[in-house]
Amino acid sequence: MIENWIDALTKVWEVETGRGGKVNSYRLFEKDEFPENIPLDQPVALTFVDSVDFEYSQGGPAIALWRGTAEFSLTPDNSKQRIPLVMRYFNRIMVAAASNITLGGKVNYFVLEGTNSIEMVVRSYGNAGQEHLGLTVRWLVKEILNDLEVTG
């Protein structure tokens, strides 16, 4: 179930910033710390579940395909001079995802979605309202729910 792996997924986004720190990736279940506002003086990642496709049958496995988005806010503004900094995160994120394909054995697989897996964006979030540069990362998790009993 999602509560068993979503925080492991958020930890994948804690990539190096290149300035001696790591991206602050907020938890959803361990700490229930999803913020109303984000600091713009440090890189942060917010993880969302967008949808789930659920298949089950009596006597067969129950399978959940979870699709979601991680929103990285990486700069304090939308200055074009910061684009090289943002571009450095593409590889960091791809390596982190590829290195955690089962989220420590918690899921069957975790991958970045096919088309536009990582996209550079200008965003604003919460009351901060300040436009800033970031990345949108689309992900997919396949989970076989062995503990789910389907009865007729």
Side-chain angles (χ1 to χ4, degrees):
M1 300 302 283
I2 190 170
E3 58 270 14
N4 297 329
W5 56 262
I6 191 69
D7 287 324
L9 191 150
T10 66
K11 292 175 186 175
V12 171
W13 309 136
E14 293 177 339
V15 298
E16 295 291 327
T17 63
R19 296 177 294 217
K22 292 187 177 189
V23 171
N24 181 15
S25 184
Y26 292 96
R27 306 293 182 267
L28 297 165
F29 283 92
E30 278 178 14
K31 297 180 183 177
D32 194 15
E33 63 182 2
F34 215 76
E36 187 67 33
N37 296 296
I38 58 169
L40 294 177
D41 60 343
Q42 63 180 350
V44 300
L46 301 173
T47 302
F48 301 91
V49 173
D50 298 326
S51 67
V52 62
D53 294 327
F54 185 56
E55 299 176 15
Y56 59 93
S57 64
Q58 192 168 4
I63 300 169
L65 291 174
W66 299 87
R67 287 179 175 80
T69 305
E71 292 185 353
F72 285 76
S73 294
L74 300 172
T75 66
D77 55 40
N78 64 356
S79 170
K80 302 280 189 254
Q81 294 176 340
R82 298 186 192 276
I83 289 174
L85 174 111
V86 175
M87 290 179 64
R88 290 180 176 97
Y89 282 89
F90 280 87
N91 189 56
R92 294 171 188 162
I93 292 167
M94 289 186 297
V95 168
S99 300
N100 289 281
I101 200 159
T102 65
L103 299 176
K106 297 178 187 299
V107 299
N108 293 79
Y109 63 78
F110 153 67
V111 295
L112 300 184
E113 280 272 46
T115 305
N116 296 321
S117 300
I118 306 174
E119 182 178 7
M120 189 180 303
V121 295
V122 174
R123 65 170 26 100
S124 62
Y125 181 83
N127 294 336
Q130 172 73 34
E131 286 190 343
H132 53 279
L133 299 177
L135 298 172
T136 297
V137 178
R138 292 170 189 81
W139 53 266
L140 171 73
V141 165
K142 178 181 179 183
E143 176 184 31
I144 295 180
L145 304 167
N146 293 318
D147 296 338
L148 184 67
E149 185 176 323
V150 177
T151 59

